């Protein structure tokens, strides 16, 4: 997979923010493969027979990205972090609707013992994870953002530090704290 140049993506984000609709179309052409990779990563964590496919997840994210108004896009990493967060919201909303329809359906517990790889485990309970992330955000917004960027966005420590405007060491420390907190919270 060829990753588009960061400076080209960043310039297209600036042009799009300034109202150039053609910039959005060109941007989506450049980032489509990366968005599909993120979507496939999410879908690997879903149960077998999930009604959404990665292509549908990307398409829904496109629709939501079009509606993003007045975003002060910082760079390529920021764009992918927002896109990943949108995909997370789509899947969580889908899971909540499915659980509401079942009214008390069986939910899987989520193990965070190996947080760097739990995205690849089947039947991740996104609703439980979302609830835990909301509780974490209420306590410490930065810890929650780091989990979103690392787990959902697939960003490296360096990319997350760049998006948040903090040091590499801060992200490493906070990532460790967030994993431990989520492990304890979800195991309750």
């Amino acid at each position: 997979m060829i990753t588009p140049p960061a400076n080209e993506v960043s310039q297209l984000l600036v042009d799009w923010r300034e109202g150039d609709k053609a910039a959005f179309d060109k941007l989506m052409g450049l980032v489509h493969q990366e968005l599909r990779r993120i979507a496939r990563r999410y879908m690997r964590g879903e149960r077998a027979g999930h009604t959404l496919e990665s292509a549908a997840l990307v398409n829904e994210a496109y629709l939501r990205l079009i509606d993003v108004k007045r975003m002060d896009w910082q760079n390529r990493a920021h764009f992918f972090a927002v896109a990943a967060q949108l995909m997370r919201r789509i899947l969580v909303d889908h899971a909540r609707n499915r659980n509401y329809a079942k009214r008390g359906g069986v939910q899987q517990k989520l193990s965070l013992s190996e947080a760097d790889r739990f995205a690849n485990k089947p039947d991740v309970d996104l609703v439980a994870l979302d609830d835990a992330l909301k509780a974490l955000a209420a306590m410490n917004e930065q810890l929650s953002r780091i989990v979103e960027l690392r787990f959902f966005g697939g960003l490296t420590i360096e990319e997350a530090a760049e998006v948040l405007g903090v040091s590499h060491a801060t992200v490493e420390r906070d990532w460790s704290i967030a994993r431990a907190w989520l492990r304890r919270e979800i195991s309750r």
Side-chain angles (χ1 to χ4, degrees):
M1 175 178 70
I2 297 173
T3 304
N7 59 344
E8 186 175 0
V9 170
S10 296
Q11 184 57 52
L12 287 169
L13 287 167
V14 169
D15 294 345
W16 175 33
R17 181 182 65 220
E18 292 174 357
D20 182 354
K21 297 202 187 306
F24 178 78
D25 294 336
K26 188 171 182 184
L27 174 69
M28 289 305 115
L30 280 176
V31 300
H32 181 78
Q33 290 303 321
E34 183 69 12
L35 291 174
R36 289 289 303 264
R37 184 193 64 76
I38 293 169
R40 282 192 300 272
R41 181 175 179 204
Y42 274 119
M43 297 311 294
R44 278 194 307 265
E46 287 296 313
R47 72 192 189 299
H50 196 283
T51 57
L52 282 178
E53 295 179 357
S54 62
L57 183 56
V58 170
N59 291 338
E60 182 64 28
Y62 278 155
L63 294 174
R64 293 189 186 192
L65 280 167
I66 289 170
D67 288 339
V68 173
K69 303 291 188 225
R70 300 178 191 221
M71 175 66 74
D72 186 19
W73 297 108
Q74 298 169 15
N75 52 34
R76 177 187 176 281
H78 182 229
F79 171 80
F80 284 115
V82 169
Q85 186 177 40
L86 287 172
M87 287 184 200
R88 172 181 159 235
R89 293 284 357 130
I90 293 163
L91 288 172
V92 168
D93 290 347
H94 184 79
R96 284 191 194 282
N97 289 336
R98 185 186 76 238
N99 287 343
Y100 289 143
K102 288 183 176 183
R103 296 287 183 224
V106 178
Q107 295 185 0
Q108 301 284 329
K109 284 192 174 187
L110 173 65
S111 169
L112 291 178
S113 61
E114 296 195 24
D116 288 333
R117 296 187 306 162
F118 72 95
N120 297 325
K121 293 185 179 186
D123 297 323
V124 170
D125 185 352
L126 285 177
V127 175
L129 180 57
D130 186 59
D131 291 343
L133 277 174
K134 285 178 184 174
L136 180 60
M139 187 181 77
N140 186 316
E141 181 68 31
Q142 182 165 305
L143 294 180
S144 176
R145 285 287 293 144
I146 288 170
V147 172
E148 286 180 345
L149 295 172
R150 296 275 295 133
F151 173 66
F152 293 105
L155 271 61
T156 64
I157 298 270
E158 293 80 16
E159 290 170 328
E162 182 182 342
V163 168
L164 295 171
V166 298
S167 72
H168 180 277
T170 297
V171 173
E172 275 192 28
R173 182 189 64 241
D174 287 353
W175 174 236
S176 217
I177 292 167
R179 286 188 319 215
W181 189 90
L182 286 170
R183 185 179 303 116
R184 189 186 77 231
E185 186 71 15
I186 290 175
S187 69
R188 289 182 180 174

